[in-house]
Amino acid sequence: MKKLIYLLLMLFGLSGMAQNEEAFEKANSAYADGDYEEAVELYNQILENGEASVAVHYNLGNSYYKLNRIGPSIYHYEKALKMKPGDQDVVNNLQFARNMAIDVIEEPREGGFSQFLDSTTQLFSPSGWGWVAIFCMLLFVAFFLAYYFSRKTLFKRMFFITGMIFLLLGITSAVIGNLKQNLLENRSFAIVFSEEADVRSEPNVRSDEVFLLHEGAKVKVTEDFQGWYEIELPNGSQGWIEKSALRLL
């Protein structure tokens, strides 16, 4: 009986994959033909089936961009970039979409070391940094064995120094990967989907309006209270916004 259940699950899984591949091809064809609404519907269908990928989010971002729907476009580019940090095509198109947004929020300039640290962590995802750490540790083991079995002093010294370098690189990569994972877990960002969204001083519609945000703005969510999110902008501005105006990344 268990084997039959496993077989049925496998068949359903294969069937779902085939349907998603077919939908992806149809969506690509619709996009190429300029039928962006159809492309959006098909790409979203793939996501609803649980098949999220960089390609689907990237193509969906492109489709929304063609429809001049900046909020969803930025949202899906951000999702693609989160899955594949540093992808130049995604970075470029995300910047194009951001240029279409109304709100221009100035970020405070970071110091040299902070900027270097931020750019370094963006090179890979947490799992990517994990693989870098594993690769470096394997090289460390290889050079340590070469050092151990080598008989010439010059070679032993060279293998030892090189091995120590890869050991340090492996430890550093593991630390950076862990740091980035913690940052991702402790940060919750969202994209404004409403054309206009009031940001208020308190989580109720009777409170004062602090400022106004428009579609496509990216905000940091700091608190969740009933139907409201407390948000913070890169420039430090804070306030409360209705949940319906945002979509969490």
Side-chain angles (χ1 to χ4, degrees), residues 100-121:
M100 295 288 289
I102 294 175
D103 297 314
V104 179
I105 303 168
E106 295 292 336
E107 298 189 28
R109 292 184 176 273
E110 296 181 329
F113 178 74
S114 297
Q115 189 175 10
F116 170 76
L117 183 62
D118 183 65
S119 60
T120 301
T121 57

Side-chain angles (χ1 to χ4, degrees), residues 57-239:
H57 281 297
Y58 176 71
N59 290 355
L60 194 48
N62 290 339
S63 301
Y64 277 123
Y65 183 82
K66 291 291 187 179
L67 293 170
N68 201 33
R69 296 174 63 182
I70 303 305
S73 176
I74 290 176
Y75 173 83
H76 287 286
Y77 286 143
E78 290 277 5
K79 294 287 283 186
L81 197 60
K82 193 173 182 180
M83 297 176 74
K84 191 177 181 182
D87 186 285
Q88 202 56 51
D89 289 332
V90 179
V91 170
N92 290 340
N93 284 17
L94 175 58
Q95 190 57 52
F96 286 137
R98 283 175 176 170
N99 290 339
M100 295 288 289
I102 294 175
D103 297 314
V104 179
I105 303 168
E106 295 292 336
E107 298 189 28
R109 292 184 176 273
E110 296 181 329
F113 178 74
S114 297
Q115 189 175 10
F116 170 76
L117 183 62
D118 183 65
S119 60
T120 301
T121 57
Q122 293 300 321
L123 289 174
F124 303 106
S125 64
S127 60
W129 280 112
W131 283 112
V132 172
I134 291 171
F135 180 71
C136 289
M137 296 307 289
L138 289 174
L139 288 176
F140 161 71
V141 172
F143 278 103
F144 178 80
L145 291 174
Y147 158 79
Y148 184 80
F149 289 107
S150 180
R151 295 182 178 180
K152 293 187 177 181
T153 304
L154 178 62
F155 286 163
K156 287 179 75 72
R157 185 179 301 168
M158 181 179 66
F159 290 143
F160 178 80
I161 293 173
T162 307
M164 288 299 103
I165 290 173
F166 279 112
L167 175 62
L168 290 174
L169 288 174
I171 294 173
T172 302
S173 299
V175 170
I176 292 175
N178 185 61
L179 175 64
K180 181 157 189 178
Q181 183 64 39
N182 289 335
L183 287 173
L184 290 175
E185 290 176 354
N186 295 327
R187 287 183 181 179
S188 181
F189 290 97
I191 303 297
V192 176
F193 267 48
S194 299
E195 288 188 16
E196 290 186 347
D198 296 329
V199 181
R200 300 186 176 275
S201 59
E202 296 178 3
N204 63 75
V205 293
R206 295 184 300 276
S207 61
D208 295 334
E209 181 184 318
V210 182
F211 52 89
L212 185 69
L213 288 177
H214 299 84
E215 183 182 8
K218 183 179 180 180
V219 299
K220 180 181 178 181
V221 177
T222 56
E223 192 172 338
D224 181 342
F225 180 75
Q226 295 180 357
W228 296 78
Y229 286 128
E230 185 183 43
I231 62 167
E232 182 179 344
L233 301 185
N235 60 11
S237 299
Q238 293 180 310

